[in-house]
Amino acid sequence: MLVRFWGTRGSLPVAPTAETIRRKVAQALVAAGSLQFDNIAEAELFVKKELSFAAGATYGGATSCVELETLHGSYFICDMGSGLRSFGIDSLRRNAAGHSKTYNFFQSHLHWDHIMGFPFFPPAFDPNVTIRIHSGHPDAEEALRRQQEEISFPVPFEWLRADFQFVQLTPGETYEVDGVKVETILQKHSHDSYGYRFTDADGKVAIYSTDSEHKLENMGDEAAFIEFFREADLVICDTMYSLADSVSMKEDWGHSSNLVAVDLCHSAEAKCLALFHHEPTYEDEDIQRMHEESIRYEELTRNGPPLDVICSYDGLEVRI
């Protein structure tokens, strides 16, 4: 299974400012010192090897959208954030090369940052495309239609030509979707949220669990999530806030922290944790700092197999 991250921010899309870009360029120049490069490839190699990720790159600014590429041909996509636009354009290229035109969407929930990319999804205008939208919410179709009403968007839902199918999923049930086993779990978030467990034919397991609040004082109530994450190869988890923020001024906002995610994955003996749904006010340096803190915390609290902690960014690919 290949996992592609098309959007990794939460709440709203963000873009680096001119000041941010100038700072990154200045840091690179200072780090290079008197070095000279004969071509762009040499300079790029220096940036990749010698600069931190925050200094030489960016975590990106598109909101939640993750693709799971399996052996069975059809598309599997988690959430329709603004990252969906880039995925949609890329999928047109793959469709032209003979890829299946069936798109299986799995919605964590229906807040705007998780559906805002859909009006800009080109395959929705293709009459040969099938779009299945899986969700735990009975009002998923209503949410997508409402954001394309004239007061909000110039292209009404009725103009879309794809074959739409809305499928409501029930927590505790196991579903077979185009050769992939899918399970879902109810999460604590406004208007409810749902996490997903995907198991492919090779037995590889990917978890998508965002917009879910896990409280430190209620870890005893998290047994269901520990079992849901059990021995997963990859857990994509909501780590929007620092622990301090999640238990103070942003308590009950429906999100969780990097440290609680490590605790859950340790208990579940998961293999890899991907930090996800980054706070939009965080600069690249802030996200990198959280990543480094998460790695140190994992090492300090480890009492079993090691947990690989990675930090998702727009464009990241992870093969499991």
Side-chain angles (χ1 to χ4, degrees), residues 24-50:
K24 288 178 183 289
V25 172
Q27 289 173 336
L29 291 172
V30 170
S34 61
L35 292 175
Q36 293 187 352
F37 307 105
D38 293 332
N39 50 56
I40 293 295
E42 287 186 5
E44 288 183 346
L45 186 62
F46 168 80
V47 170
K48 184 176 181 180
K49 286 192 171 183
E50 302 300 329

Side-chain angles (χ1 to χ4, degrees), residues 120-142:
F120 303 93
F121 183 57
F125 293 89
D126 185 345
N128 297 313
V129 161
T130 297
I131 295 177
R132 300 191 195 114
I133 300 170
H134 304 80
S135 174
H137 301 84
D139 50 357
E141 181 174 1
E142 179 186 356

Side-chain angles (χ1 to χ4, degrees), residues 194-213:
Y194 294 85
Y196 294 94
R197 181 182 175 99
F198 301 92
T199 307
D200 69 7
D202 291 335
K204 296 295 185 180
V205 175
I207 303 290
Y208 183 77
S209 176
T210 190
D211 292 70
S212 178
E213 185 165 8

